[in-house]
Amino acid sequence: MPELPEVEHVVRALRRVIVGRTIIASEIKLPKLIGPTSRSAFTRKIRNVTITGVSRRGKFILIECQKPARKQPARQRGRRSASSKPANDLILAVHLRMTGKFLYLDPDAELPKHSHAIFYLDNDRRLVFRDQRQFGVMRLTAASQILKTKGIVELAPEPFSDEFNLDYLRNVLKKSRRSLKTLLLDQTKVLGLGNIYAAEALFRAGISPFAVAASLSRNRTARLHTAIQDVLGFAVDHIRGSIKLEEGFSYGAAFENFWQVYDREGEPCVKCGANIRRVTHGGRSTYWCPKCQRR
């Protein structure tokens, strides 16, 4: 499953090729992808919109769109403030989930299997969303309502924002009796960590994934806070340039050689030489060093 660093680079890759383009038509082959919106309503709303930007909130990709302005009666022209946002701005919010991917295809390129949404652009290219497992989600909403949208409104602060500071993390941890690893995967508490980066951050901080969240001292919380930002920043840096929408790509392939603990069961710890262990915890594989990450 793509985690925050991969999603960030999908955003950057999309930004390079679709900003400024107009969607002249779309085709939805999997109705549940856009549910509860009907296919007819979705294709009508997104027809002839111009893509003005691509951003991210958590793991949601936000494709910012603007519909052509309607002609207003002469008596109404000029009334809207130049600084106000047009009422017809839309955002296409996309969550890739486990296997969702975007492809940017030439007109004569063969449409791959599991292509569930096709957006026909004004340069004869197609932006295609494919998803083998069919867990991906698309929501088309007014730009003014995006931060109130279910799935987005509940999200914790961005991990590199001023809001995600030591005091914030300390308050979140001290209110929970869950295991630390389980809490770190909760995107409404700590944003951006999936299974890989939670394991890597805990290893860098030297903290057991099984420790009770509320039991962490302020010093250990500070180490964890730094480790979360460091591991996400490290991953963003090392995935640079690896996601190309014109080609197939594998999430995580760009930096798997840099993992220090994840997927290294039985291998020697890079710090102390003890064998890395793995256990199923909360339904997910958890990797840790029993010596460096004592409770």
Side-chain angles (χ1 to χ4, degrees), residues 163-177 180 183-184 189-190 207 212-226 228:
E163 290 78 12
F164 182 71
N165 51 43
L166 179 56
D167 286 339
Y168 170 83
L169 183 59
R170 179 70 174 147
N171 288 334
V172 166
L173 296 183
K174 71 181 182 181
K175 294 177 183 177
S176 176
R177 299 297 301 175
L180 194 52
L183 183 138
L184 291 181
K189 306 300 182 185
V190 178
I207 300 172
V212 175
S215 71
L216 256 65
S217 66
R218 187 173 184 86
N219 286 340
R220 296 174 82 196
T221 303
R223 293 208 314 266
L224 179 60
H225 180 268
T226 298
I228 289 170

Side-chain angles (χ1 to χ4, degrees), residues 94-108:
V94 182
H95 201 299
L96 303 175
R97 295 289 173 86
M98 292 187 69
T99 58
K101 293 182 179 180
F102 278 106
L103 296 172
Y104 184 64
L105 300 181
D106 288 324
D108 55 350

Side-chain angles (χ1 to χ4, degrees), residues 140-156:
L140 188 61
T141 186
S144 60
Q145 298 299 309
I146 190 61
L147 295 182
K148 302 175 184 177
T149 301
K150 183 178 179 180
I152 294 179
V153 66
E154 302 91 347
L155 293 176

Side-chain angles (χ1 to χ4, degrees), residues 229-257:
Q229 293 186 323
D230 285 351
V231 76
L232 290 175
F234 182 85
V236 168
D237 288 343
H238 284 84
I239 200 174
R240 183 175 297 142
S242 65
I243 291 181
K244 298 177 181 177
L245 301 179
E246 297 85 352
E247 305 171 4
F249 53 88
S250 176
Y251 295 125
F255 49 86
E256 61 186 8
N257 292 333

Side-chain angles (χ1 to χ4, degrees), residues 122-139:
D122 61 349
N123 61 350
D124 294 329
R125 292 284 192 109
R126 291 165 294 167
L127 180 66
V128 175
F129 182 77
R130 63 178 303 204
D131 184 5
Q132 182 177 357
R133 298 291 296 275
Q134 300 185 10
F135 293 145
V137 173
M138 285 188 177
R139 296 290 181 265

Side-chain angles (χ1 to χ4, degrees), residues 5 8 16 32 68 89 115 118 143 181 198 208 222 224 238 250 255:
E8 173 63 28
R16 288 193 294 267
K32 73 174 185 177
D89 279 4
S115 295
I118 303 105
K181 168 75 178 306
S208 169
L224 179 60
H238 284 84
S250 176
F255 49 86

